[in-house]
Amino acid sequence: MFSGWNWVAHSLYLFLSICSLKVSGGLVQSCGHIIPESPVLALGSNFTALCILNESCLDFGNIYASQIIWKIKNRVVPKEQYREINRTVSSVTFNDTSSLATPLTCNILADGQIEQNIYGITVTVGLPPEKPKNLSCIVHQLSKITYPMTCTWNPGRHTFLDTHFRLKYRWLQETFPDCIPKDVNNSCTIRDVQFFVNTKVWVEAANALGKAESDPLILDPIEIVKLLPPHNLSVNSGILPTVLKLSWENQISDTAMKLKFNIRYKIMGDTNWMQVPPEDTASTRTSFSVQGLRPYTQYVFSIRCMKEDGVGYWSDWSEEKTGITTEDKPSKGPPIWRIIDVSRSPPSWTVHLMWKALKPFEANGVILQYEVTVRAKSSLSRPPEKYSVNTTDLTLKIPNGTYEVTVVARNRAGASPPSVLLIPASNSKAPVKNVRTLPKDGKLWVGWTPPDSYVLKYVIEWCLVSNSSDCIIEWQTEPGNVQGTYLKGDIKPFKCYLITVYPLYADGQGSGQSVKAYLQQDRPSKGPTVQTKKVGKAEAVLTWNHLTVDEQNGFIRSYTIFYKTIDGNETAVTVDPSKTEYTLSSLASDTLYTVRMMAYTDEGGRSGPDFTFTTQKFGRGEIEAIVVPVCLAFLLIVLLGVLFCFNKRDLIKKHIWPIVPDPSKSNIAQWSPQVPAKHNFSSKDQMYPEGSFTDVSVVEIEADDKKSFSEQDLKPFDLLKKEKSTSEGHSSGIGGSSCMSSPRQSVSDSDEGETTQNTSSTVQYSTVVLNGYRDQTPVQVFSRSESTQPLLDSEERLEDHTGGGDSTTQRQQYFKQNGVQDEINTDRPCFERMKPITSANEGDIVGFAQLQISGQSSQLLGLGLEKNTQEAAVSDALQASTEGQNVVPEIVEGNPPSVDEMPKSYLPQTVRQGGYMPQ
Amino acid sequence: MLNVAGELSGDSWGIFTFLCAALCNLPALPALNCTEELGPGHSIQKTYDLTRYLEHQLRTLAGTYLNYLGPPFNEPDFNPPRLARAERVPSATVDLELWRGLTDNARLAANYRAYSRVLCSLRALDAQGTAELRHRLGHFCSSLQGLVLSIAGVMSSLGYPLPAGPPAQPPAQAGAAATNDFLKKMDDFWLLKELQTWLWRSAKDFNRLKKKVPPAVVTLRMEARGF
């Protein structure tokens, strides 16, 4: 505790004592101070500082030098660097000032605990100035009387301190004020200097650490002058066209300085300057004539000067001035060439003479006109024709022949030497060989192999090949000793040029050799548009047009056709560039193909638009191969069918449209007596209109008393004569029976044999019920039998039996049965009614009748003879055919008493008739 | 110093040494020439050039200044009688034969004195004119001071003692100058005219002196520049 109080009291005392010191002194008075005060130190040197404590402080606070602590900024300097010199003085030593910083403070540790600052100094560390080096001066002329001198030097290393430079100068016995640089430390300008007096110049650099002086420079300012360039330069053309006279003003008196000059000049627009030999302008002057210039050329001049003896500096170049030399005669004739259009009738030439305007250095002035002389070689007597033109071409219409054309260019100063072109009648001389081109350095080089004989010169013609414009010929001439040249013209890349080389000889010219060339090739600007010309099943013929020259951009080296199906891989085919058609083969049928085409130059290809097509389903001729045989087969079948039908027409007819006999045409009808028949006919017609008998064969049997037997006797013979009549007779026989039992079966024939009515092959049986005769109401009842078969069968059987012996009995029975009816049906109406039908059916029954003839005729005939003799009256009444005749006796013999009963039991009878089969 | 020492040795070995030393020192000569004061020939030439240059400058300056003074001083044929009172400028109108008869030293000293006095008068000129005139005048004065120093240099290089410092402004002249504006202008006119004559004569003097002193040192210097 005591020590603590002691410490507090002590420090309080110290504080108070410091304060009292301050107050007593009236100024800030500390307990000590540091020596040196605010030093400026050289970097890298060693430095020792002393902190000296005031005696007064020692008394107050028991402060001693041993308690001193040195600090740089806030960093304590290591104790090793301290040294206690005595009670009140402590020193600190730094071996290298570079470790120093501001502030350096002297502190004291009161009672070993409270650190109290005693004093502090600022330390500045830097370098002494170096000796300025490389001092050099130059006097710039600003006007005729103003010559400031600027001196520059190398100030040396950075000193980290405020360093002042002074440029000092003096004469031998005269000192001038120093030149103090502004804002810089390496140059200074003395406003005015005097020539011809030696001046000593040096630089002094000074800072807190020292002072350094440069080596002095002793100079006469006149020897370091950079003058203003000569001014008011003017250029005047002299008498000679190759001379221009320059004049100017110097900006310094020749008493002050003798001068020498440099004169440079160039052609207007050129970049390279030429210089007048310096030795020609090595003395003071204000004018000079430049010689060896080109006539009528604009030149640019510029001049500079310096001290004659070469001491000092060249001035800047003066402003540029231009001048034009006067005109001179053109130095050469214009190059000339021609294009000849030949017309056949009358044989003449249209010669387009062309010549090139002379280049400025050849024209030597403004060309006023060209004088063209055309001299015909063939007819020397003809005077040469002369033309004066302003343009560079002339078109002449002249007869074929050899001509010599001379062109002279004329300007104000005179005429050029003539240039001559020989136009021979034909280009019969040797041509050049092996014309080739090569793009080189952005230009097109043309080379050729010269002919053996001496060539005067070559003419190279070229033109741009294009669709849009005509071939506008450009040309140039080359001397005869060259074998290649660059085309002197605006050769564009990607354009096709046609280049032709003509050799010109002293006595003629060779024909031109051409070659096409590109300066630079590119891909075609578009691809060919491909189309199909023909599409087949497995192949397609593609066609395209060649690209135009403008689209090609180069030589087309090949075409490639790409084709693919929608989901298939693309197939490529390379095609020769000369082709415009190609056939794709091995394609799939009925498939959509996409095809496109690329045209390739050396630089690459470009594709044309896609084109799609679908291959056909069938190949060519395939349909024909199918259709034609099918048609042929069909035709054949039809033909065969027709033939068959023709052959089998009877059968068909029988089945499809059997002939229904027309009773009206029946022979029987013809035999009938006219009067009653007519009467009956009319009545019968009324009663039976034709349409109602389609399927029914009706045989009307009209009993005619007047019919003589003899006629009946003759009938069979008639029948025998004619097939038809026999069948008629036969059928009528049947018909006779059918008239009573089955009219359907009865068939009547006529001589004409026409089929007037057909019925279905199955002849329906019907029963004709005859009621009263004439006066009786003609009520007829048809009972159509549904079954036809029995009768047919019986008939067929009957026919069969005719061959055999036992059938006769049955037949007789049959006839007997019918005979009963016959008697009943002897009425005329029966006959008359049948008549029209039978007549219609005549002839249709031929086949049927024939069948019956063979078996029955003889039998019936014999039978008929018997009847005739026995029952003449009855047979008369019947007036039937042989069959009828046969029927009649049977009827007579058979069932005479049943006549009355029959009509009543008519239907049952038919049933019975149907049921005759059991008989 | 070394070659001089060789010369002093006298014997053949000494001569050889001298030659070797001379050869060895030849490359060092240019530096020597550049730093050291050049020979009298060179300074005479320079003084001559400066005189000519001042002559040329004065022509322009006089024209400008006389124009500034106005008529009749700027008239070409204005030729007033010289007032005897104006002893402010030493007259150059000494008989030519008499002048030629003087020694170089005397002539140089006379030039030196004359220009020193003229310079003082020039500096006192009332140059209220244009800035160009003042500039020209200032430049001319500086150059004339250079001439004075050059003459002093020539004299010292030729071994002549410099004349005693130019007498301070004679009080009589100073008093007489400002009395009359016209007279003052007349003084200025004559100052320029006398100066012109002095410069013209000085140029002749230095030309003659230049011929008298061989320009060996000058040629050596030129060769040395070639190294």
Side-chain angles (χ1 to χ4, degrees):
Chain A
M1 277 307 276
F2 175 76
S3 64
W5 274 111
N6 190 28
W7 179 81
V8 170
H10 199 88
S11 54
L12 189 69
Y13 167 73
L14 184 68
F15 177 74
L16 286 171
S17 67
I18 289 168
C19 285
S20 65
L21 273 171
K22 280 178 186 169
V23 171
S24 64
L27 290 166
V28 175
Q29 196 175 355
S30 63
C31 267
H33 64 278
I34 296 175
I35 295 173
E37 181 81 27
S38 299
V40 178
L41 305 172
L43 201 64
S45 63
N46 55 13
F47 169 64
T48 302
L50 302 173
C51 186
I52 302 161
L53 299 172
N54 288 346
E55 290 289 339
S56 54
C57 287
L58 298 178
D59 300 337
F60 287 122
N62 297 326
I63 301 167
Y64 301 102
S66 59
Q67 293 169 305
I68 283 172
I69 295 168
W70 290 91
K71 281 178 137 187
I72 299 168
K73 284 188 174 175
N74 293 318
R75 181 168 56 82
V76 176
V77 178
K79 298 260 183 197
E80 299 81 55
Q81 291 175 241
Y82 303 170
R83 196 162 71 87
E84 192 183 345
I85 291 167
N86 55 35
R87 241 175 109 237
T88 60
V89 178
S90 169
S91 75
V92 64
T93 303
F94 300 94
N95 287 328
D96 189 355
T97 49
S98 58
S99 63
L100 272 171
T102 294
L104 174 68
T105 52
C106 169
N107 307 276
I108 196 144
L109 203 61
D111 282 347
Q113 279 158 7
I114 297 176
E115 191 180 298
Q116 187 71 43
N117 179 254
I118 300 294
Y119 205 79
I121 56 166
T122 57
V123 180
T124 309
V125 179
L127 291 168
E130 271 190 320
K131 178 180 168 182
K133 292 184 283 284
N134 300 335
L135 175 65
S136 69
C137 298
I138 182 169
V139 174
H140 285 282
Q141 185 187 16
L142 296 184
S143 74
K144 278 193 174 175
I145 52 163
T146 314
Y147 296 92
M149 183 169 76
T150 303
C151 293
T152 55
W153 59 89
N154 178 0
R157 69 188 173 195
H158 185 51
T159 60
F160 308 100
L161 297 172
D162 188 17
T163 305
H164 300 278
F165 289 85
R166 284 166 178 272
L167 179 66
K168 291 174 171 285
Y169 71 111
R170 68 175 173 88
W171 287 340
L172 207 56
Q173 290 122 359
E174 183 84 16
T175 304
F176 297 100
D178 294 343
C179 178
I180 297 168
K182 283 177 185 167
D183 307 324
V184 292
N185 62 359
N186 65 343
S187 77
C188 193
T189 301
I190 298 164
R191 276 186 55 242
D192 198 18
V193 290
Q194 271 64 48
F195 294 145
F196 304 114
V197 185
N198 282 335
T199 310
K200 186 178 178 186
V201 182
W202 71 100
V203 181
E204 183 187 276
N207 67 12
L209 292 175
K211 189 196 264 187
E213 279 185 2
S214 72
D215 290 332
L217 208 58
I218 295 169
L219 48 86
D220 181 351
I222 198 78
E223 291 169 351
I224 53 167
V225 172
K226 183 179 179 182
L227 293 169
L228 287 173
H231 67 155
N232 294 340
L233 180 66
S234 66
V235 185
N236 298 301
S237 51
I239 302 155
L240 287 171
T242 57
V243 175
L244 283 176
K245 188 182 178 189
L246 307 183
S247 38
W248 62 88
E249 287 175 30
N250 295 319
Q251 305 215 49
I252 190 166
S253 159
D254 61 340
T255 54
M257 194 189 282
K258 297 234 180 313
L259 299 174
K260 65 175 181 179
F261 301 90
N262 276 169
I263 296 172
R264 63 176 186 180
Y265 62 99
K266 63 177 181 180
I267 295 172
M268 188 78 165
D270 275 10
T271 50
N272 295 328
W273 290 95
M274 294 164 280
Q275 194 160 340
V276 172
E279 56 269 23
D280 293 351
T281 54
S283 58
T284 299
R285 59 178 68 232
T286 56
S287 70
F288 187 80
S289 287
V290 183
Q291 300 172 23
L293 303 175
R294 284 179 187 160
Y296 198 64
T297 307
Q298 190 171 21
Y299 283 92
V300 182
F301 292 91
S302 174
I303 188 170
R304 67 177 180 177
C305 62
M306 75 178 295
K307 198 157 174 280
E308 190 181 27
D309 56 9
V311 178
Y313 301 91
W314 277 108
S315 72
D316 293 326
W317 286 104
S318 72
E319 55 175 351
E320 295 173 4
K321 277 287 158 72
T322 60
I324 299 179
T325 48
T326 52
E327 288 189 30
D328 196 4
K329 282 191 261 185
S331 60
K332 57 176 276 196
I336 180 168
W337 186 232
R338 86 292 175 277
I339 298 172
I340 299 174
D341 292 335
V342 181
S343 78
R344 297 285 172 211
S345 55
S348 68
W349 281 346
T350 304
V351 179
H352 305 282
L353 293 173
M354 313 175 284
W355 53 93
K356 288 194 184 297
L358 290 168
K359 294 189 176 69
F361 65 86
E362 298 164 339
N364 291 340
V366 180
I367 300 297
L368 301 173
Q369 65 177 26
Y370 297 96
E371 290 165 5
V372 184
T373 310
V374 180
R375 188 179 288 112
K377 281 275 200 182
S378 46
S379 59
L380 289 169
S381 57
R382 236 172 92 185
E385 294 177 46
K386 294 195 171 183
Y387 308 88
S388 284
V389 287
N390 292 326
T391 54
T392 56
D393 57 347
L394 178 67
T395 302
L396 298 172
K397 203 167 171 87
I398 48 175
N400 298 6
T402 302
Y403 295 91
E404 189 186 74
V405 179
T406 309
V407 177
V408 167
R410 189 177 284 280
N411 66 10
R412 222 167 288 145
S416 72
S419 43
V420 181
L421 177 71
L422 185 74
I423 303 177
S426 64
N427 295 344
S428 53
K429 300 281 179 174
V432 296
K433 293 181 281 268
N434 190 21
V435 178
R436 61 207 178 271
T437 62
L438 192 68
K440 214 188 269 178
D441 309 328
K443 290 186 283 187
L444 200 55
W445 182 84
V446 184
W448 58 85
T449 307
D452 296 331
S453 43
Y454 173 74
V455 177
L456 214 58
K457 58 183 173 181
Y458 294 99
V459 173
I460 298 106
E461 265 185 16
W462 75 91
C463 72
L464 196 156
V465 184
S466 170
N467 304 104
S468 52
S469 60
D470 290 337
C471 198
I472 296 166
I473 288 176
E474 294 181 74
W475 57 278
Q476 69 188 59
T477 54
E478 293 296 330
N481 56 356
V482 301
Q483 298 180 18
T485 183
Y486 287 102
L487 292 187
K488 295 171 189 132
D490 181 23
I491 305 294
K492 299 187 185 73
F494 319 134
K495 300 284 184 190
C496 182
Y497 285 89
L498 181 67
I499 299 159
T500 312
V501 181
Y502 296 90
L504 302 191
Y505 301 91
D507 53 350
Q509 87 182 39
S511 57
Q513 296 295 304
S514 297
V515 70
K516 277 186 177 178
Y518 284 88
L519 175 62
Q520 193 189 340
Q521 295 192 45
D522 195 10
R523 296 193 304 156
S525 52
K526 58 178 275 196
T529 304
V530 67
Q531 286 182 316
T532 52
K533 189 179 176 187
K534 208 161 72 179
V535 178
K537 183 183 176 186
E539 72 285 320
V541 181
L542 301 178
T543 179
W544 60 90
N545 290 325
H546 285 305
L547 294 177
T548 62
V549 180
D550 296 334
E551 292 163 350
Q552 285 180 5
N553 292 342
F555 294 113
I556 299 293
R557 299 299 187 195
S558 68
Y559 291 123
T560 303
I561 299 171
F562 297 93
Y563 64 98
K564 60 171 183 180
T565 58
I566 282 183
D567 49 356
N569 285 335
E570 198 166 56
T571 312
V573 186
T574 303
V575 185
D576 190 82
S578 61
K579 299 253 171 59
T580 58
E581 196 174 293
Y582 185 78
T583 305
L584 296 176
S585 52
S586 309
L587 303 176
S589 65
D590 194 23
T591 308
L592 184 71
Y593 277 94
T594 303
V595 64
R596 69 192 166 89
M597 194 159 175
M598 280 183 93
Y600 288 92
T601 63
D602 292 336
E603 294 298 312
R606 200 180 286 279
S607 182
D610 282 355
F611 181 82
T612 53
F613 65 90
T614 309
T615 48
Q616 293 186 346
K617 204 160 189 171
F618 299 103
R620 193 177 58 149
E622 227 171 78
I623 292 175
E624 289 88 331
I626 295 167
V627 168
V628 168
V630 165
C631 291
L632 284 173
F634 180 74
L635 273 172
L636 200 68
I637 289 163
V638 168
L639 204 67
L640 285 171
V642 167
L643 271 173
F644 176 78
C645 291
F646 189 75
N647 286 336
K648 300 286 181 185
R649 64 183 182 279
D650 296 338
L651 192 67
I652 290 165
K653 191 179 273 178
K654 174 186 161 192
H655 284 283
I656 299 173
W657 54 87
I659 295 170
V660 178
D662 184 357
S664 67
K665 294 203 177 153
S666 165
N667 291 343
I668 302 168
Q670 286 172 1
W671 299 334
S672 313
Q674 290 304 309
V675 181
K678 276 183 182 169
H679 175 76
N680 286 340
F681 265 121
S682 57
S683 65
K684 184 195 72 185
D685 285 341
Q686 290 163 358
M687 288 158 62
Y688 304 106
E690 279 186 9
S692 54
F693 288 98
T694 49
D695 286 339
V696 181
S697 299
V698 179
V699 178
E700 288 184 31
I701 301 168
E702 192 178 354
D704 192 351
D705 296 340
K706 290 173 185 173
K707 262 297 183 181
S708 64
F709 191 73
S710 63
E711 279 177 288
Q712 286 179 17
D713 290 342
L714 287 170
K715 253 320 185 192
F717 296 108
D718 290 336
L719 290 168
L720 285 168
K721 283 178 201 168
K722 302 181 264 182
E723 282 183 2
K724 283 182 184 176
S725 56
T726 43
S727 69
E728 278 166 9
H730 185 74
S731 64
S732 61
I734 297 165
S737 62
S738 66
C739 188
M740 279 149 324
S741 61
S742 59
R744 182 201 157 268
Q745 180 117 25
S746 66
V747 177
S748 68
D749 281 350
S750 68
D751 291 337
E752 298 89 53
E754 288 175 274
T755 306
T756 53
Q757 194 173 356
N758 296 332
T759 57
S760 65
S761 57
T762 53
V763 177
Q764 295 169 338
Y765 290 87
S766 61
T767 304
V768 182
V769 179
L770 296 173
N771 292 329
Y773 175 62
R774 289 177 183 175
D775 297 333
Q776 290 176 346
T777 50
V779 178
Q780 294 189 4
V781 179
F782 285 115
S783 284
R784 194 168 172 157
S785 162
E786 293 301 317
S787 170
T788 57
Q789 209 53 42
L791 183 57
L792 262 175
D793 286 349
S794 67
E795 272 189 6
E796 283 169 3
R797 222 175 283 143
L798 189 115
E799 286 169 16
D800 293 340
H801 294 319
T802 47
D806 49 342
S807 62
T808 40
T809 52
Q810 281 185 340
R811 189 162 191 91
Q812 282 169 346
Q813 288 174 342
Y814 170 64
F815 276 117
K816 275 183 187 168
Q817 269 193 332
N818 288 348
V820 179
Q821 292 172 334
D822 283 351
E823 277 189 357
I824 301 159
N825 291 339
T826 50
D827 300 335
R828 263 180 227 132
C830 180
F831 279 103
E832 285 174 0
R833 259 179 270 140
M834 286 295 289
K835 203 171 183 180
I837 300 169
T838 46
S839 68
N841 291 335
E842 277 172 359
D844 288 340
I845 200 78
V846 176
F848 184 59
Q850 281 176 337
L851 281 169
Q852 293 178 330
I853 286 165
S854 56
Q856 293 179 356
S857 55
S858 57
Q859 186 190 3
L860 290 167
L861 193 58
L863 192 66
L865 286 170
E866 284 182 78
K867 287 167 189 174
N868 289 341
T869 52
Q870 292 170 358
E871 304 163 330
V874 179
S875 60
D876 284 349
L878 282 170
Q879 281 186 347
S881 62
T882 47
E883 288 171 10
Q885 288 167 353
N886 293 335
V887 173
V888 176
E890 279 192 341
I891 294 166
V892 177
E893 291 171 3
N895 306 313
S898 64
V899 176
D900 293 331
E901 297 167 19
M902 281 309 287
K904 294 171 187 171
S905 62
Y906 183 82
L907 273 170
Q909 257 200 332
T910 52
V911 176
R912 268 184 272 153
Q913 274 182 340
Y916 83 90
M917 289 204 32
Q919 287 176 354
Chain B
M1 290 299 119
L2 188 67
N3 30 13
V4 175
E7 211 169 5
L8 285 173
S9 65
D11 58 354
S12 60
W13 180 248
I15 292 167
F16 179 72
T17 316
F18 162 71
L19 284 173
C20 285
L23 278 172
C24 288
N25 280 303
L26 259 177
L29 277 172
L32 189 78
N33 284 333
C34 281
T35 50
E36 293 285 312
E37 192 61 43
L38 297 167
H42 178 68
S43 55
I44 292 166
Q45 172 68 42
K46 253 189 190 322
T47 313
Y48 170 75
D49 287 341
L50 179 57
T51 315
R52 294 293 311 277
Y53 179 50
L54 281 167
E55 240 188 311
H56 163 73
Q57 277 193 73
L58 183 61
R59 238 172 281 147
T60 325
L61 175 69
T64 316
Y65 192 77
L66 292 180
N67 273 333
Y68 163 70
L69 292 181
F73 302 101
N74 60 349
E75 287 166 8
D77 51 353
F78 179 66
N79 193 10
R82 177 145 193 215
L83 298 177
R85 62 170 275 282
E87 282 305 322
R88 163 185 167 201
V89 179
S91 176
T93 55
V94 183
D95 178 49
L96 199 61
E97 289 301 317
L98 186 65
W99 181 256
R100 280 190 180 172
L102 293 174
T103 60
D104 292 335
N105 187 12
R107 278 198 301 269
L108 284 169
N111 271 307
Y112 181 80
R113 272 194 304 269
Y115 288 122
S116 298
R117 287 180 64 182
V118 166
L119 186 61
C120 290
S121 304
L122 271 179
R123 281 181 173 151
L125 269 187
D126 172 31
Q128 299 295 322
T130 61
E132 194 202 337
L133 178 61
R134 272 181 278 136
H135 178 74
R136 279 185 184 279
L137 198 58
H139 189 72
F140 185 81
C141 285
S142 299
S143 292
L144 195 62
Q145 192 184 4
L147 181 62
V148 173
L149 293 172
S150 289
I151 292 167
V154 169
M155 288 177 80
S156 68
S157 68
L158 290 174
Y160 304 136
L162 269 183
Q169 281 190 339
Q173 287 173 7
T179 50
N180 186 320
D181 189 48
F182 184 80
L183 288 180
K184 188 176 171 293
K185 283 186 179 178
M186 192 70 100
D187 285 348
D188 292 347
F189 177 85
W190 275 113
L191 174 67
L192 296 176
K193 203 167 172 68
E194 286 295 339
L195 182 56
Q196 224 158 18
T197 317
W198 270 110
L199 287 171
W200 173 79
R201 201 167 63 183
S202 296
K204 284 188 174 302
D205 290 345
F206 291 124
N207 199 28
R208 208 174 294 127
L209 193 61
K210 191 172 70 178
K211 285 171 184 162
K212 214 180 275 180
V213 178
V217 183
V218 176
T219 50
L220 177 64
R221 174 179 167 271
M222 295 309 286
E223 284 167 10
R225 285 221 160 205
F227 274 98

